[in-house]
Amino acid sequence: MAEGQPAKKAKLDVKYELLYWPSMPGRGEFVRLALEASGVPYKDTANQEDNGIQKMLAVLKDTQSHAPVLCPPLLRVHGDDGPLIISQTPNILLYLGDHEPVAPATNDKYLVHQYALTALDLTNEAHNVHHPVAISQYYDDQKPEAVRAAAEFRGERIPKFFGYFDRALTYNKSSSGGDDRGYAYLVGDKVTYADTTVWQVVDGVSFAFPAKVKEMREKGECKELWAFYDGLKKEEWLSSYLESSRRMKYSDGIFRYYKELDV
Amino acid sequence: MAEGQPAKKAKLDVKYELLYWPSMPGRGEFVRLALEASGVPYKDTANQEDNGIQKMLAVLKDTQSHAPVLCPPLLRVHGDDGPLIISQTPNILLYLGDHEPVAPATNDKYLVHQYALTALDLTNEAHNVHHPVAISQYYDDQKPEAVRAAAEFRGERIPKFFGYFDRALTYNKSSSGGDDRGYAYLVGDKVTYADTTVWQVVDGVSFAFPAKVKEMREKGECKELWAFYDGLKKEEWLSSYLESSRRMKYSDGIFRYYKELDV
């Protein structure tokens, strides 16, 4: 580089910038966890800068300098060729998997994406439980429907998805050295964004439906899943993240606790 | 190859096998359209073999020879190292984009994935409209809720998503040579699986909400989207597919026509 020419990357001291709503885990949490697992520095702009939310909104409004984006989370990747904007949660995870050590380079990368997509499907269903009729209307205006939706979610959907993740972990355990750790990862023998994404939806569902999850654990259902969930939580990178201020509390987002929806 | 040694690929005469429910477009249609656009031969097993559905169910039940899969569509890729099973619709599209000419190899591949994921989000919402409360219950048991859900879907969700695709096409038009064709693709100047996926959801929504779509067209809303939709439909690969028996009619799947939900 010629003398006196400023380094392009001096604009931001980290490569990755998460642009999302502040003060809530939300869909941004799936991105945060993949970034935390990869160990790469990142900026959570709306939570770390005073006017961070304005920066996110500016990207959302901009239809000139990059392809239009519909909604956050967004990942802004700073590089020599200018910033790249990636949106759609599974797409951001895919990008991180292609560029950071949270997915393999083999065909197993499609298995990682598959599990992450399935965990995000369950996330959507968990949201639909408290807003079955209309996203734009209040919970109280669709409470009777939410109670009906929750009955199906607890009775059929949680067992279906958790049972699936349990089978996937069981399948991978024999070939991955999971026995040494006491628990398996979903793909191979390293943490991938499949693990972080499944972990987060299990954590969110456990927050929203604590009685249901307690019952499953007590009945011994999905043992591999709980071994995985508890085991990952104790790994240094995750436990230190969960204790940090970067991890935010659940509130009125995707995963909500309403006593009448649990039981 | 040594004389007398059978070719491995003799097991199946095509590389790609779609395993999905027969006699309906469903989520399999997104895979079919990407395969049709890529021009590669494929087998739609449940529709082309007498016992095809059993082959799909066998893969779903098998938790030994490959990682467990939750539900169809599945893509079975036949290769020298044995078959590879890919599941989750966006993941199948990603795989096809990585291996066939329906996505670029540059960073634009993430833009293709983003648009496809967004179209599939709208697909999920279109399904939720007629089953807002519980997937396992009949439409008639959630009809009042469906009417409320449809009002929001028509009034807010269709305009939001269609408007977004319209902006995306407008953004790409100037740089893609779309003016020569009279319409733009979503990314670059070749058909990608973003185009096939957005086309299918626009087609499905047009089937399910014909009055709403007619109104949008008459009001001149989303002009770029309709130019794209009509233009793609006339392209040789798509028009010949739509006239073939490979294209199935909508019935009681994701996209359903109920008069009370349209208007």
Side-chain angles (χ1 to χ4, degrees):
Chain A
M1 191 178 288
E3 236 176 79
Q5 198 179 348
K8 280 184 184 173
K9 69 173 187 177
K11 283 180 186 169
L12 195 81
D13 52 354
V14 292
K15 185 179 176 188
Y16 295 115
E17 196 182 355
L18 170 63
L19 297 168
Y20 190 65
W21 304 109
S23 312
M24 58 159 79
R27 290 178 196 278
E29 195 62 16
F30 297 103
V31 180
R32 286 185 202 99
L33 282 169
L35 286 162
E36 295 283 340
S38 71
V40 65
Y42 67 96
K43 178 172 272 190
D44 186 347
T45 302
N47 283 308
Q48 292 174 12
E49 287 190 21
D50 286 342
N51 63 344
I53 195 170
Q54 298 304 328
K55 290 193 176 180
M56 180 194 81
L57 294 173
V59 174
L60 283 178
K61 281 177 194 162
D62 181 358
T63 57
Q64 298 295 321
S65 61
H66 55 75
V69 286
L70 188 61
C71 53
L74 317 171
L75 185 72
R76 182 150 57 183
V77 185
H78 296 270
D80 291 340
D81 300 329
L84 180 68
I85 304 286
I86 312 273
S87 78
Q88 270 282 4
T89 307
N91 198 38
I92 295 171
L93 297 175
L94 176 71
Y95 183 90
L96 290 174
D98 284 348
H99 294 84
E100 304 298 333
V102 284
T106 65
N107 275 339
D108 273 352
K109 69 181 170 182
Y110 298 105
L111 195 54
V112 169
H113 205 48
Q114 175 187 308
Y115 290 140
L117 286 162
T118 305
L120 291 168
D121 281 349
L122 181 58
T123 301
N124 287 339
E125 292 198 18
H127 182 273
N128 287 350
V129 166
H130 55 74
H131 276 73
V133 178
I135 297 169
S136 61
Q137 292 173 20
Y138 291 113
Y139 168 68
D140 282 340
D141 294 333
Q142 46 198 307
K143 202 161 157 181
E145 291 83 5
V147 169
R148 283 169 64 195
E152 180 183 71
F153 189 73
R154 291 193 314 270
E156 298 183 33
R157 307 305 287 175
I158 294 177
K160 180 185 172 97
F161 281 85
F162 279 20
Y164 174 64
F165 295 133
D166 192 68
R167 290 197 301 282
L169 290 161
T170 303
Y171 172 82
N172 191 47
K173 192 171 191 175
S174 60
S175 56
S176 71
D179 284 323
D180 296 338
R181 261 192 317 273
Y183 58 97
Y185 297 130
L186 281 155
V187 181
D189 60 1
K190 285 177 188 160
V191 172
T192 67
Y193 72 78
D195 299 305
T196 57
T197 306
V198 169
W199 188 89
Q200 173 60 18
V201 75
V202 171
D203 191 68
V205 167
S206 299
F207 169 78
F209 303 91
K212 170 67 185 173
V213 163
K214 186 164 178 267
E215 182 191 274
M216 289 181 82
R217 282 188 175 242
E218 284 173 358
K219 283 186 180 170
E221 293 169 5
C222 302
K223 280 185 183 174
E224 283 299 334
L225 183 62
W226 303 118
F228 157 83
Y229 174 78
D230 296 337
L232 208 71
K233 201 170 182 174
K234 285 177 194 150
E235 291 192 10
E236 166 55 25
W237 69 273
L238 183 51
S239 68
S240 63
Y241 168 67
L242 293 174
E243 286 163 20
S244 77
S245 60
R246 302 192 298 285
R247 172 76 171 186
M248 284 159 292
K249 287 197 193 314
Y250 295 113
S251 56
D252 278 354
I254 301 167
F255 301 111
R256 303 187 189 182
Y257 175 67
Y258 293 116
K259 197 177 178 189
E260 62 272 23
L261 303 187
D262 190 19
V263 177
Chain B
M1 190 179 290
E3 236 175 78
Q5 196 180 347
K8 279 184 184 172
K9 69 173 189 176
K11 283 179 185 171
L12 195 82
D13 52 357
V14 292
K15 184 178 175 188
Y16 295 115
E17 197 183 354
L18 170 63
L19 299 168
Y20 190 65
W21 303 109
S23 311
M24 59 159 77
R27 289 177 198 280
E29 195 62 15
F30 298 102
V31 180
R32 286 185 201 99
L33 282 170
L35 285 162
E36 295 284 341
S38 71
V40 65
Y42 67 96
K43 177 171 272 188
D44 186 347
T45 302
N47 283 308
Q48 293 174 12
E49 287 190 20
D50 286 342
N51 63 343
I53 196 170
Q54 298 304 326
K55 290 193 177 180
M56 180 193 82
L57 294 173
V59 175
L60 284 178
K61 282 175 192 163
D62 181 357
T63 57
Q64 298 295 320
S65 63
H66 54 75
V69 286
L70 188 61
C71 52
L74 316 171
L75 185 72
R76 183 150 58 184
V77 186
H78 296 270
D80 291 340
D81 301 328
L84 180 68
I85 304 285
I86 312 272
S87 78
Q88 271 281 3
T89 306
N91 197 39
I92 294 172
L93 298 175
L94 176 71
Y95 184 90
L96 290 174
D98 285 348
H99 294 84
E100 303 299 333
V102 283
T106 63
N107 275 339
D108 273 354
K109 69 182 172 182
Y110 299 106
L111 194 53
V112 170
H113 204 48
Q114 175 187 309
Y115 289 140
L117 286 161
T118 304
L120 291 167
D121 280 349
L122 180 59
T123 302
N124 288 339
E125 292 198 18
H127 182 273
N128 288 349
V129 165
H130 55 73
H131 276 73
V133 177
I135 297 170
S136 62
Q137 293 174 18
Y138 291 112
Y139 168 67
D140 282 340
D141 294 334
Q142 46 198 307
K143 202 162 155 178
E145 290 84 5
V147 169
R148 284 169 64 196
E152 180 182 71
F153 190 72
R154 290 194 315 272
E156 298 183 33
R157 307 306 286 175
I158 295 178
K160 180 186 172 94
F161 281 85
F162 280 20
Y164 174 65
F165 296 135
D166 192 69
R167 288 197 301 281
L169 289 162
T170 303
Y171 172 82
N172 192 46
K173 193 171 191 175
S174 61
S175 56
S176 70
D179 284 324
D180 296 340
R181 260 192 319 273
Y183 58 96
Y185 297 130
L186 281 155
V187 181
D189 59 0
K190 286 177 187 159
V191 172
T192 66
Y193 72 79
D195 299 307
T196 59
T197 307
V198 169
W199 188 89
Q200 173 60 17
V201 75
V202 171
D203 192 68
V205 167
S206 299
F207 169 79
F209 303 92
K212 170 66 186 175
V213 162
K214 187 164 177 267
E215 182 190 273
M216 290 181 81
R217 281 187 176 244
E218 286 174 356
K219 284 186 179 170
E221 292 168 6
C222 302
K223 281 184 182 173
E224 283 300 332
L225 183 62
W226 303 117
F228 158 83
Y229 174 78
D230 296 338
L232 207 71
K233 201 170 183 174
K234 285 177 193 150
E235 291 191 10
E236 167 55 24
W237 69 272
L238 183 52
S239 67
S240 63
Y241 168 67
L242 293 174
E243 285 163 19
S244 77
S245 61
R246 302 193 299 286
R247 172 76 172 187
M248 284 159 291
K249 288 195 191 317
Y250 294 111
S251 57
D252 278 354
I254 300 166
F255 301 111
R256 303 186 188 183
Y257 175 68
Y258 293 116
K259 196 178 177 188
E260 63 272 23
L261 303 187
D262 190 18
V263 178

